[in-house]
Amino acid sequence: MPATIGWLPHLQVLKLKRDSFIGSEWETVEMQFCKLKYLQIDGCDLVHWTTESTHFPCLEHLQLEHLILKEIPLSIGEIPTLQSIKLVDCSTSAVASATKIREDQQENYGNDDLQIQ
């Protein structure tokens, strides 16, 4: 992914569809995606995603479709604004990590509202 897209100061919605993301690894950095509320990754080659909760401080909705992603970074669960994770035709390990994120939200933050679909 072009590194510059994360620096767009008012970016709130990002939909990465087939062929918009080349490569199997994505490592985000701090101060990117500061206002991003909705992230959709659909049909890309992404397998390994490295990120921290501070890289997406306003993320509310994460939608992952048709991915062989090994796991959703557990740090995504530390985002206080996160409301939902939607998975469509993703690896069983990605689904398992979403379930783990929800369990951690319930246990560590008392948040029973995180929706996993």
Side-chain angles (χ1 to χ4, degrees), residues 3-9 28-36 51-57:
T4 56
I5 198 163
W7 297 107
L8 294 171
T28 60
V29 296
E30 198 159 358
M31 302 303 293
Q32 288 188 328
F33 305 108
C34 289
K35 293 188 179 180
L36 193 70
T51 193
E52 297 294 328
S53 60
T54 56
H55 299 183
F56 297 94

Side-chain angles (χ1 to χ4, degrees), residues 33-45:
F33 305 108
C34 289
K35 293 188 179 180
L36 193 70
K37 293 182 179 186
Y38 179 89
L39 174 60
Q40 177 184 8
I41 306 173
D42 181 2
C44 299
D45 297 330

Side-chain angles (χ1 to χ4, degrees), residues 28 49-57 59 62 71-82 85 97 100-101 104-105 109:
T28 60
W49 181 13
T50 304
T51 193
E52 297 294 328
S53 60
T54 56
H55 299 183
F56 297 94
L59 189 67
L62 175 62
E71 72 174 0
I72 301 168
L74 295 180
S75 61
I76 292 291
E78 298 169 5
I79 300 171
T81 55
L82 189 64
I85 299 174
S97 61
K100 173 76 170 128
I101 288 170
D104 288 349
Q105 282 266 325
Y109 304 106

